[in-house]
């Protein structure tokens, strides 16, 4: 009687191979979850950098559309080196040709109105880890994001001159 009870207990137990197989399946699932999480975190970081870059460009263009010159806009905008978020998000340096810039395209005719045109160019830093201030890692150039804006050339071109009697 004891022998049959012991035999039944062993027949319901798991073998070492079954335990190892189950452990391998759990390990593969955990590895996939970690890989998915790290990939989505990297994607979120890059999307955040693109949003910062676009916001910076849009603010430059809005200031220009309000009537400020290129030099005035560049003087008003925060320095890339003085702002950690900008320094991490933007590729290049604001003091050379690689940083964000306004490029005046001249005057164009839009539906019979003379409009000034400008392009704002900026590049996103896509390096995975920007490093620290003590040991910065090299930046990696992402896509060149360019936005274009227009403003009226002269306010008088929008109104017809008044002829006095």
């Amino acid at each position: 009687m004891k022998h049959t009870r012991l035999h039944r207990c062993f027949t319901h137990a798991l073998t070492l191979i079954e335990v190892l197989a189950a452990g391998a399946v759990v390990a593969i699932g955990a590895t996939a979850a970690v890989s998915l999480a790290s990939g989505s975190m990297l994607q979120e970081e890059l999307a955040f950098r693109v949003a910062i870059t676009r916001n910076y460009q849009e603010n430059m263009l809005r200031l220009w559309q309000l009537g400020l010159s290129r030099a005035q806009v560049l003087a008003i905008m925060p320095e890339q080196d003085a702002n950690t978020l900008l320094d991490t998000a933007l590729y290049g340096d604001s003091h050379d040709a690689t940083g964000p810039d306004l490029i005046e395209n001249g005057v164009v005719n839009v539906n019979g109105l003379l409009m000034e045109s400008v392009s704002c160019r900026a590049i996103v830093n896509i390096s995975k880890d920007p490093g620290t201030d003590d040991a910065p890692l090299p930046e990696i150039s992402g896509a060149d994001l360019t936005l274009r804006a227009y403003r009226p050339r002269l306010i008088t071109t929008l109104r017809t001159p008044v002829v006095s009697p």
Side-chain angles (χ1 to χ4, degrees):
M1 177 132 192
K2 235 180 190 186
H3 185 306
T4 57
R5 186 183 284 171
L6 185 64
H7 180 63
R8 242 185 294 146
C9 184
F10 281 129
T11 57
H12 293 297
L14 298 174
T15 64
L16 180 61
I17 292 177
E18 291 172 330
V19 170
L20 289 174
V25 169
V26 169
I28 290 171
T31 303
V34 167
S35 176
L36 182 64
S38 68
S40 66
M41 286 172 53
L42 179 62
Q43 187 68 25
E44 184 179 338
E45 172 67 23
L46 290 176
F48 183 64
R49 289 183 192 173
V50 169
I52 290 172
T53 303
R54 285 287 189 188
N55 190 358
Y56 194 78
Q57 287 178 295
E58 288 173 3
N59 287 332
M60 289 176 82
L61 292 175
R62 285 192 179 112
L63 288 171
W64 180 81
Q65 284 179 323
L66 288 172
L68 298 175
S69 69
R70 177 186 175 275
Q72 290 170 325
V73 170
L74 294 176
I76 290 173
M77 293 302 292
E79 286 289 326
Q80 183 177 342
D81 302 337
N83 189 314
T84 308
L85 284 176
L86 284 177
D87 199 33
T88 303
L90 296 171
Y91 173 81
D93 190 3
S94 58
H95 301 294
D96 61 18
T98 60
D101 195 14
L102 283 176
I103 302 156
E104 294 176 331
N105 301 323
V107 179
V108 295
N109 188 342
V110 179
N111 295 332
L113 297 174
L114 292 177
M115 304 286 274
E116 293 180 29
S117 171
V118 71
S119 298
C120 183
R121 184 188 133 280
I123 302 172
V124 179
N125 174 20
I126 62 168
S127 68
K128 290 183 181 178
D129 182 13
T132 62
D133 290 338
D134 300 333
L137 295 176
E139 295 179 330
I140 300 172
S141 171
D144 186 346
L145 305 174
T146 303
L147 297 178
R148 178 172 265 180
Y150 301 93
R151 70 178 178 194
R153 181 165 182 226
L154 294 173
I155 229 31
T156 57
T157 62
L158 298 176
R159 298 187 186 128
T160 56
V162 179
V163 179
S164 56

